[in-house]
Amino acid sequence: MNDILYSLSLLSSPQVSLEQLLIFNVPEKVGDGVLHKSLDFSDKLTLKYSDYPFTLKFVTPGNLNEKLQYSYQMDGLSDSWLDSQGINSATYTNLSAGDYSFKVHAIDPLTNKPGKTKSIQIEITPPWWLSTNAKIVYCIISLMIFAVITKAILRRREVQRQIAKSEERLKLSLWGSGDEMWDWDIETGQIYRSNIWGSLEFPRDGQRSGEHGEESNIHPMDQERVTNALNKHFYGETDHFEAAYRVKGKDDQWVWILDRAKIVERDEDDKALRMTGTIKNISNFKQAEEQLRLFERAIENISEGMFILDNQFNFVEVNEACCDLCEKGRNDFIGQLFNFDLYPESYSQQIRNILQQQGSWSNEVESAKGDGTSFLMELTVDAIYDEQGTLSHYVGVFSDISRRKQQEEELRKLTNNDLLTNLPNRSSLMVTLGNLVKKDIHHTLMVLDLDNFKKINDSLGHQVGDELLIKVARRIESTVPYHTSIYRLGGDEFAILVDNNPDIGSSAVIANNVVDAFCSPFELTKDRVVVGVSIGIVLYPEDDQNEQALLRKADIAMYHAKSAGGNRYQFYSESLNRNAIRQLEVENLIREGLRDDLFEVYYQPKIDLKSGKMAGMEALVRLNHPEHGLIPPGDFIPLAEENGLIVEIGEVVLRKACFAAQKWRRQELFEGRVAVNLSSQQFALPDLQQRIESILRLTQLPPGNLELEITEGTVIKQPEKAIKVMMQLSKMGVSLALDDFGTGYSSLSYLKRFPIDTLKIDKAFVDDIDKSDRDLKMVDSIITIAHNMGLSVVGEGVEDASQLSILKALKCEEIQGFIYSKAVNEQAFTELLRQEELLPCSVKKQKKINL
């Protein structure tokens, strides 16, 4: 026995080595950031506050005894030693920031003696908001808040001091001005008056200085107006009370006063408690006002014509100059309706409407004289309102500017022509359009824009471009009828104006002749070029009655002609305008969605037909606007592809989808692939691979959990280039799927070279698979080809059980569609993932309840 004990004592104690560190159940490798050398040779570990759970694994090298036990302790967390209970690891979570010491030793099962203790220092760094820098920032913010409060208190004291000074100055000013100041205690009814006039009692309006029913000293015609103004201020409709009215003096004479006041104190219920104001004698001002009226009558002798209209636009007075300039007698005006004889009645009515709404109008118009001739006048008409604010009259002032305009016209002819083509320019066109609109003359406006002129200008030079524009102007002049006018609006844009009562047919003939004329090449000095033309056409008054609107709509029609391929003409229609406005609204919504993060990602599950369980999902974008609600992708995706915003939208969808997939992976709800569509513009980006790698690093989603769906139409445009891009993506470990297969014109020779993993059958084939034998054979052929090439197949848009049964029989691997679930938001999809199984019947029931 002694020999046995002696032999046991000679046995070496088991030694413990720290084998591995795991963070978030992921082994840490040396050099990845936490471990700078092997864990067993590290003296200290530095972990972030958020690095939990972390696990320390330990072993005893060379000891094969399975009954070997370990005991460990985290000094700083607990003073007691814990038995490993057969597990060679220790896991900790939610450790507070600080320094700890992890100790562990092995216990010999024969001698029950502990071996040498292995220890390592562990530092848990605090979160950023508890760091030293954060505390310094907190102190700085506190000091700033204290400084702001102190400054506000000092400023308030200064303001109070200035208010006191202002009140003193106000009292002295009122005393010196002779105005009477009054202070009304509304609850008691007491009124304090300073600087009292001896000839006037305080106004009795039924509220101040008197009781209801008491005889008032306010003029009967002013009583209601004073009461209304006072009530409006009491009810908060006006900032202050102000009224000019007449009060009977002690000598029974009416005295005009200006009464101004303001409620200066209210209780907690917003009830008025105190009102302060002044009373000013304005009788002298009223006398001066009467003198001004006399003075106004004196302007009858001025050289400019003047007239006065009543509120129904009938002449009530004219001065002598008005009669002389118009060569008409006074009786020819009085009682007549204000009108422009040389313009259509609609124009005169428009001016009267403007005066009623805005109270003022000014312009240059042509007016008829009594002898049958006409002259150009500069006319200004303004509204006149009485003391109650009611419109009473209009006053007009005009002068003869015919000679001045003649001189200006001569100057305009020198400046309103295009120097290159010698055609009238844009400003000349606008003047002509304005005159035609005023005179209500039917006309047609055509806006012409050369197709691909910029390419010619850039490739051959501006000198050749200018020569071409001159040739274009001459060819248009030789093509259109003599009664048309041609303008150069700028650049390669021209206009044709037809003012000889044209109809749609004659306008179409002119436009068609111009288009045909551009089929012949232009013989330039050194080159021979062919250029097309796009024409937009509007008609007055059918399309609009405003010159600016006509030009804008002609531009819209021209751009639609250019969008349709160019070298054609297009009449304007309201549908074109609504479409343009709708596109602008949607584009603004897209930009607003990108700016305010309004784009949401919805997910539609993809189901494995063998297991009946979820194999993955497709990420689909939605625009959730706070005012317009959920906007379907069909309303904004086509426009986003046209204006290039689809690239930003695609990155938002990819980033959000990867974040969501990684979150579900960490929750152990999902291990499949999330499919994200790549637009053709994204696919053409030169740095596409770097962008995707950046998003995967940001979201920490493994590349194997991402599937990129590329449409057949995208890759078939430039198949060789597409193959290179797809090879780069495939090397990253990302899965590739060919979407909408069968809707384009794919070549099987290219299809076998595409490094794709999945083929998606378009919904158009699945819809009638149970009704059309042709569609059934087509789907069968697609699945057979895919399987022969080693590709899996996904059927899209499955909605009926019959479609599901056929796809199962054809050995389609996966399907997606409403039979299982429509696309749902991230929260609803999380609930789908929490279900253990997805069976068609159960999902149908859930669909009826939830969708």
Side-chain angles (χ1 to χ4, degrees), residues 511-739:
N512 191 62
N513 291 339
V514 173
V515 172
D516 290 341
F518 276 70
C519 295
S520 302
F522 288 88
E523 300 290 343
L524 305 180
T525 303
K526 297 181 180 180
D527 299 279
R528 189 169 182 264
V529 298
V530 176
V531 62
V533 63
S534 298
I535 306 177
I537 309 174
V538 293
L539 286 80
Y540 173 89
E542 289 84 356
D543 291 322
D544 212 301
Q545 290 82 43
N546 178 275
E547 57 268 25
Q548 295 287 350
L550 286 170
L551 186 58
R552 176 177 61 83
K553 291 183 176 181
D555 280 331
I556 292 174
M558 181 270 293
Y559 282 120
H560 278 274
K562 191 176 288 289
S563 299
N567 205 32
R568 67 186 65 205
Y569 62 88
Q570 172 73 57
F571 280 91
Y572 175 83
S573 66
E574 196 59 34
S575 61
L576 294 178
N577 189 37
R578 286 196 300 269
N579 184 41
I581 294 174
R582 176 58 182 167
Q583 286 188 346
L584 180 61
E585 291 175 349
V586 173
E587 182 173 347
N588 290 335
L589 289 177
I590 294 174
R591 297 185 186 278
E592 184 180 354
L594 290 171
R595 186 188 68 238
D596 299 337
D597 194 23
L598 302 179
F599 284 99
E600 296 180 357
V601 180
Y602 277 49
Y603 302 88
Q604 187 175 36
K606 294 195 291 186
I607 308 303
D608 188 320
L609 289 181
K610 289 185 178 180
S611 63
K613 294 185 178 181
M614 190 185 304
M617 79 287 287
E618 181 178 1
L620 302 169
V621 65
R622 300 290 187 269
L623 176 54
N624 195 354
H625 194 273
E627 294 181 8
H628 302 280
L630 201 63
I631 301 174
D635 289 354
F636 64 88
I637 289 295
L639 181 60
E641 290 176 341
E642 289 181 11
N643 56 29
L645 294 175
I646 191 66
V647 175
E648 295 184 56
I649 296 175
E651 289 204 2
V652 170
V653 174
L654 181 60
R655 185 171 60 252
K656 290 189 175 184
C658 289
F659 268 120
Q662 179 62 7
K663 182 190 71 173
W664 292 325
R665 288 184 69 254
R666 289 175 178 171
Q667 295 174 351
E668 298 183 355
L669 296 175
F670 173 73
E671 279 298 332
R673 294 192 298 266
V674 58
V676 181
N677 290 281
L678 276 185
S679 68
S680 58
Q681 295 190 32
Q682 283 180 283
F683 190 77
L685 291 173
D687 59 342
L688 175 63
Q689 181 182 358
Q690 291 81 354
R691 290 174 181 242
I692 295 175
E693 288 176 344
S694 175
I695 291 176
L696 289 176
R697 284 195 303 269
L698 174 67
T699 61
Q700 298 182 358
L701 181 70
N705 292 104
L706 176 62
E707 182 179 83
L708 298 176
E709 294 188 0
I710 307 167
T711 61
E712 181 185 11
T714 297
V715 297
I716 207 61
K717 292 178 182 177
Q718 294 179 306
E720 295 295 340
K721 182 179 179 181
I723 291 173
K724 293 180 181 180
V725 176
M726 295 170 74
M727 290 297 293
Q728 294 175 353
L729 297 177
S730 181
K731 289 179 181 179
M732 292 171 51
V734 174
S735 298
L736 299 178
L738 192 62
D739 196 10

Side-chain angles (χ1 to χ4, degrees), residues 254-311:
W254 294 107
V255 179
W256 278 95
I257 66 170
L258 177 61
D259 194 355
R260 293 177 174 174
K262 186 178 181 66
I263 295 173
V264 297
E265 185 177 351
R266 294 179 182 270
D267 61 11
E268 296 178 353
D269 299 327
D270 203 35
K271 181 181 177 182
L273 299 178
R274 184 181 177 190
M275 188 174 186
T276 302
T278 62
I279 296 176
K280 184 180 186 65
N281 188 334
I282 59 171
S283 296
N284 293 333
F285 295 102
K286 284 295 181 178
Q287 292 176 0
E289 184 178 354
E290 184 62 30
Q291 292 176 352
L292 286 175
R293 291 177 181 172
L294 295 174
F295 179 76
E296 288 174 357
R297 290 195 291 269
I299 63 177
E300 293 180 356
N301 297 320
I302 64 176
S303 59
E304 300 208 341
M306 290 190 61
F307 58 84
I308 299 176
L309 311 173
D310 61 17
N311 56 12

